[in-house]
């Protein structure tokens, strides 16, 4: 029986069960989204831990494990989860196991195994509402008798229902003798599988009953969304929709942020005493922060779109539709989400590749993720296209932008195709595709909001500090050593830069960037881009010292100084049609982001592939840019 | 006959999962067992995966996997 103290004792609740049964939703409802995600020791398999919210009156910590359909390991990741579950020092006072009422026999399979192992299980039946829509109902009491386990109905999306669940948890009694034993059942043993399915099938047949006169087969939307013709059209429409909203919708907030940053810089400059410290705060810190925040609108839009695709259930359909073309390149339908995330940022994208079972397919996916034009490249594209394209023909800019994105995808496809045909890869099998398509649902605002928030914060925390530190460092590099203002050239901005440490660094780089049509200043800006691409624009502003008097926005000022910048001691223009096109190509292909390389190392467990990636992409970007610049010049373009 | 050749919108009962290898037991593990009713919901473009309804859910399988499932 429950003693009063049992409500206050810290307990360990573990969520176990198959995918798509509402496990994550239940976890979020129990913990109220204040959780953290941790990796199992020595692996990339991660799980979330959190505390049950105060309002529920249960003192317990909750752990969400990756979804598993059964307790017989078939993949390495699966094995990690099982080890953790059965390890002697993992304390599992209560296992909450979700089962989807609409596919009871498939989900009871693992429940039956859990019971056999002796875990203290409380079965949570979800999707009761969907079952009702199909004109059926479930007899919970009978189910509990048949299973020999306590059973409760819960809608993990509904706080009231979760509250009722926590009351059950409070009174749940763990038999002291419960000792867990690992199942020794081979995953190859078909007879064992079939007999277990027979058993749970029989239970399903008993407990699920048709509501008389109500039974109906609802329209299966997959007949439309996965249709031979319409399926592809819908997919294309959704993708075009997402990318156009990234460009058009994000335009306004980005303008506001740009204006806000300029305003803040002006205010800071006017209210702080004139000194080098003020310069550093304004040009280093504020401009640095501005260059991080400016991408947020686009990233947020992409994350919202991904959240909607995920929560509505469309993501699995997208993966199914795109599977065939992707297999031609040695990838898998499951590469779809990582590649799509790659348009926001390569770091979360590489982590999203964890769901791909085959090492080969996962490696190729991670390898080409950096070729998807991430949001950090966008400001660079915007700046250079604004330079290239006459203001009265904005549609050319739109086309050119699309071409850059498509260009990245095409290069990615080519690279993937080549790798998958390399001798050391050709013979490795492709993993089968067995993708469960969860029921279509109306996306829930809060769910999408929370996932967008978490992903955006992750981006900010990862990119923010680096970018600010780099902008500060760059500011110092371009301002030190201090040029006495009474010297002949002193005081002029150009003099400060050209005698700074940055200039010394630039002279070293110059031979490399010269064939691309750049001078040492462009070279420094490009090098800084290796910390994070978005730094390039801010660095350009610092290197080509923009005069502050103009009231215009940063970009217009920068464009003006790019148009007048010349090579040292000559009147030869640096930024011309050819050098700008060359730079665009360079940014499209080069792997200019150390955090990405570090992430690739963590995900692949070694430096070899990430370093190959770095050298190949950056090397071919340089070669391509040089070829473009020299060819264009030979053809008579400036 | 096998699942890869079944017309969309029709259903049939599984007779066996061919091949004694890992793939066939994976299919059994996720619920494709002899005696079960399956139906093809739809086929994706360019002979891509087929969407199969089984045990109350829908699962996408490639032609290669689907052809293992004999009806
Ligand atoms: N209609 C309905 N949807 C639910 C219910 N429980 C969860 N969902 C939805 O099912 C989807 C999958 O849930 P999720 O928690 O991601 O499943 P997991 O794979 O087990 O973690 C989400 O879109 C949930 O909103 C339920 O009881 N009824």
């Amino acid at each position: 029986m429950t003693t009063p103290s049992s409500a206050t004792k810290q307990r360990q609740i573990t969520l176990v069960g198959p995918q798509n049964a509402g496990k994550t939703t239940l976890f979020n409802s129990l913990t109220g989204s204040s959780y953290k995600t941790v990796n199992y020791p020595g692996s990339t398999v991660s799980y979330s831990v959190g505390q049950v919210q105060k309002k529920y009156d249960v003192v317990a910590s909750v752990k969400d494990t990756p979804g598993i359909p059964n307790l017989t390991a078939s993949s390495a990741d699966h094995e990690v989860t099982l080890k953790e579950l059965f390890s002697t020092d993992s304390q599992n006072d209560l296992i909450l196991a979700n089962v989807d009422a609409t596919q009871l026999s498939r989900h009871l399979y693992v429940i039956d195994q859990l019971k056999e192992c002796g875990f203290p299980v409380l079965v949570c039946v979800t999707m009761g509402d969907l079952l009702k829509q199909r004109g059926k109902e479930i007899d919970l009491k009978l189910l509990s008798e048949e299973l020999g386990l306590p059973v409760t109905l819960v809608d993990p999306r509904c706080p009231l229902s979760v509250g009722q669940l926590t009351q059950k948890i409070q009174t749940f009694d763990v038999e002291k003798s419960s000792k867990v034993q690992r199942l020794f059942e081979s995953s190859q043993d078909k007879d064992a599988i079939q007999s277990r399915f027979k058993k749970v099938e029989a239970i399903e047949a008993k407990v699920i009953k048709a509501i008389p006169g109500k039974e109906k087969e609802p329209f299966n939307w997959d007949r439309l969304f996965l249709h031979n013709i319409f399926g592809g059209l819908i997919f294309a429409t959704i993708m075009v929709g997402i990318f156009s909203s990234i460009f058009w919708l994000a335009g306004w907030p980005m303008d506001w942020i740009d204006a806000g940053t300029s305003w803040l810089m002006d205010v800071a400059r006017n209210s702080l005493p004139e000194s080098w410290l003020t310069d550093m705060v304004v040009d280093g810190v504020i401009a640095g922060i501005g260059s991080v925040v400016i991408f947020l609108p686009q990233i947020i839009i992409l994350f919202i779109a991904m959240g909607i695709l995920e929560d509505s259930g469309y993501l699995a359909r997208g993966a199914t539709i795109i599977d065939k073309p992707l297999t031609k390149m040695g990838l898998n339908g499951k590469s779809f989400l990582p590649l799509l995330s790659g348009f926001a940022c390569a770091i979360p994208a590489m982590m999203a590749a964890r769901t791909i079972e085959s090492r080969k397919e996962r490696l190729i996916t991670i390898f080409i993720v950096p070729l998807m034009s991430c949001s950090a490249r966008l400001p660079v594209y915007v700046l250079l296209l604004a330079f290239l394209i006459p203001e009265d023909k904005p549609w050319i800019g739109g086309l050119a932008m699309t071409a850059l994105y498509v260009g990245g995808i095409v290069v990615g496809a080519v690279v993937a195709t080549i790798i998958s045909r390399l001798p050391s890869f050709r013979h490795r099998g492709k993993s089968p595709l067995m993708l469960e398509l969860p029921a279509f649902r109306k996306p829930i605002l809060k769910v999408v909001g929370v996932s967008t928030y978490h992903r955006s914060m992750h981006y900010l925390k990862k990119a923010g500090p680096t970018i600010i530190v780099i902008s500060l460092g760059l500011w110092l590099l371009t301002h030190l050593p201090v040029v006495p203002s009474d010297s002949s050239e002193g005081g002029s901005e150009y003099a400060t830069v050209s005698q700074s440490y940055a200039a010394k660094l630039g002279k070293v780089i110059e031979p490399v960037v010269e064939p691309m049509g750049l001078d040492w200043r462009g070279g420094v800006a490009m090098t800084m881009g290796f910390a994070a691409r978005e730094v390039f624009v801010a660095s350009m502003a610092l290197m080509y010292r923009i005069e502050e008097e103009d009231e215009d926005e940063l970009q217009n000022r920068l464009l003006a100084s790019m148009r007048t910048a010349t090579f040292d001691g000559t009147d030869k223009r640096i930024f011309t049609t050819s050098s700008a096109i060359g730079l665009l190509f360079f940014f499209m292909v080069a792997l200019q982001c150390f955090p990405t390389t570090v992430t690739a190392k963590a995900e692949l467990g070694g430096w070899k592939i990430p370093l190959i990636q770095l050298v190949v992409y950056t090397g071919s970007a340089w070669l391509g840019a040089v070829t473009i610049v020299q060819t264009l010049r030979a053809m008579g373009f400036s | 006959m096998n699942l890869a050749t079944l017309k969309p919108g029709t259903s049939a009962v599984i007779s066996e999962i061919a091949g004694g290898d890992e793939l066939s037991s994976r299919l059994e593990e996720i619920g494709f067992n002899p005696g079960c009713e399956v139906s093809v919901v739809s086929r994706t473009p360019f002979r891509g995966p087929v969407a199969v309804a089984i045990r109350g859910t829908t699962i996408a399988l490639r032609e290669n996997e689907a052809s293992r499932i004999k009806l």
Side-chain angles (χ1 to χ4, degrees), chain A residues 102-114:
Chain A
T102 63
Q103 43 171 324
L104 208 55
S105 65
R106 286 186 74 235
H107 285 184
L108 284 182
Y109 191 90
V110 67
I111 304 292
D112 193 50
Q113 289 181 322
L114 282 168

Side-chain angles (χ1 to χ4, degrees), chain A residues 99-109 125 131 134 136-140 142-144 146-147 196-210, chain B residues 31 33 35-37 54-57:
Chain A
V99 295
D100 174 348
T102 63
Q103 43 171 324
L104 208 55
S105 65
R106 286 186 74 235
H107 285 184
L108 284 182
Y109 191 90
V125 178
L131 188 71
R134 298 188 188 181
K136 294 176 189 167
E137 60 188 357
I138 181 168
D139 185 338
L140 294 169
L142 192 57
L143 180 61
S144 171
E146 291 287 332
L147 289 173
R196 198 180 292 278
F197 263 119
K198 285 255 151 55
K199 182 175 165 191
V200 292
E201 243 168 48
I203 299 180
E204 180 185 44
K206 271 191 208 163
V207 300
I208 302 280
K209 292 174 186 129
Chain B
N33 312 111
C36 248
E37 190 178 313
I54 183 159
R55 294 182 182 274
T57 185

Side-chain angles (χ1 to χ4, degrees), chain A residues 70 72 74 102-103 105-106 134 187-188 190 193-194 197 201 220 222-223 226-228 232 320-321 323-324 327 332 357 430-437, chain B residues 17 19-31 33-34 36 41-49 51 54-62 65:
Chain A
N70 53 56
T72 35
S74 51
T102 63
Q103 43 171 324
S105 65
R106 286 186 74 235
R134 298 188 188 181
S187 62
Q188 308 282 346
K190 286 190 181 184
I193 298 172
Q194 286 175 12
F197 263 119
E201 243 168 48
N220 192 333
D222 280 322
R223 281 168 56 190
L226 293 178
H227 187 269
N228 215 327
T320 306
I321 291 271
D323 180 70
K324 188 74 182 190
T327 50
N332 182 300
E357 293 154 54
K430 58 179 182 194
S431 56
L433 182 86
M434 300 175 192
L435 195 58
E436 193 186 338
L437 307 173
Chain B
I17 311 295
D21 58 351
E22 204 197 315
L23 177 58
S24 67
S25 35
R26 288 274 314 268
L27 286 167
E28 294 249 11
E29 265 187 340
I30 60 170
N33 312 111
C36 248
V41 179
S42 96
R43 250 167 230 289
T44 55
F46 311 115
R47 305 190 62 180
I54 183 159
R55 294 182 182 274
T57 185
T58 312
I59 296 179
L61 296 177
R62 292 203 192 111
E65 279 87 63

Side-chain angles (χ1 to χ4, degrees), chain A residues 39-56:
Chain A
N39 279 19
Y40 283 127
S43 82
T44 52
V45 184
S46 58
Y47 61 93
S48 309
V49 282
Q51 283 286 330
V52 174
Q53 289 185 73
K54 288 237 163 52
K55 66 175 179 191
Y56 287 133

Side-chain angles (χ1 to χ4, degrees), chain A residues 18-25 127 129-130 155-157 311 441:
Chain A
Q19 268 163 20
N20 298 319
K23 216 154 49 65
T24 311
T25 317
M127 317 282 176
D129 51 325
L130 294 180
D155 184 339
R157 302 166 306 166
D311 202 45
R441 301 175 177 91

Side-chain angles (χ1 to χ4, degrees), chain A residues 17-28 64-65 67 98 125-130 133 154-157 310-313 438-439 441-444 447:
Chain A
Q19 268 163 20
N20 298 319
K23 216 154 49 65
T24 311
T25 317
L26 180 60
F27 178 81
N28 290 348
D64 186 16
T65 60
N98 281 15
V125 178
T126 60
M127 317 282 176
D129 51 325
L130 294 180
Q133 271 176 31
V154 61
D155 184 339
R157 302 166 306 166
E310 243 172 5
D311 202 45
S312 64
R441 301 175 177 91
K442 206 173 103 219
I444 297 169
V447 174

